[in-house]
Amino acid sequence: MRVPPAVTYRPAGGPAYLLAWEQHPDDRSWWARILWVEVARDGYTGRHARVVAADVAPIPGQDYSTVPRRRVSPRARRPSDPTDPRDPSHRRDARERYRIAFERALNREPEPDF
């Protein structure tokens, strides 16, 4: 498995993996498909997005020659993001959310006492 090269994602102020360059079908501008990891106290979450190419900067020493370049079809749907609650294809009903929260609360490990 190939690890994609890293770039600096300026709005987040940190590193991200550059998965692909994508050309917008309307104005022919270039966008970057990136993936980054958000670290929190209780774990981490992988996020991905399509951002304007001007928002990413190269990191010295990375090889960008293997990054694919794609033209986005005007009929293509945006990729869904299962971590985004605003994404309609991944909304759960309220009872399902409460059931999951209840199960997490029951199965939570005790907090360290030190």
Side-chain angles (χ1 to χ4, degrees):
M1 185 168 117
R2 181 183 68 83
V3 176
V7 293
T8 301
Y9 180 43
R10 289 185 181 124
Y17 293 106
L18 178 62
L19 303 177
W21 292 111
E22 297 180 347
Q23 190 174 32
H24 195 275
D26 296 335
D27 60 358
R28 316 266 304 154
S29 62
W30 285 97
W31 293 68
R33 167 76 58 196
I34 60 171
L35 171 81
W36 69 96
V37 177
E38 291 179 355
V39 180
R41 286 184 339 150
D42 57 345
Y44 57 89
T45 303
R47 305 277 184 183
H48 65 90
R50 183 186 301 150
V51 298
V52 179
D55 285 347
V56 298
I59 296 177
Q62 296 290 314
D63 179 23
Y64 299 105
S65 63
T66 59
V67 178
R69 293 179 178 263
R70 303 179 184 142
R71 285 186 168 64
V72 179
S73 170
R75 293 172 295 199
R77 287 184 53 210
R78 289 180 35 212
S80 63
D81 183 1
T83 62
D84 187 357
R86 298 169 296 173
D87 190 349
S89 60
H90 293 285
R91 285 192 182 144
R92 296 184 180 130
D93 63 349
R95 285 177 291 195
E96 179 70 10
R97 283 196 314 250
Y98 289 129
R99 185 188 64 78
I100 291 172
F102 182 72
E103 286 179 3
R104 286 183 183 162
L106 284 178
N107 298 326
R108 188 171 73 187
E109 296 192 17
E111 295 183 11
D113 186 21
F114 57 89

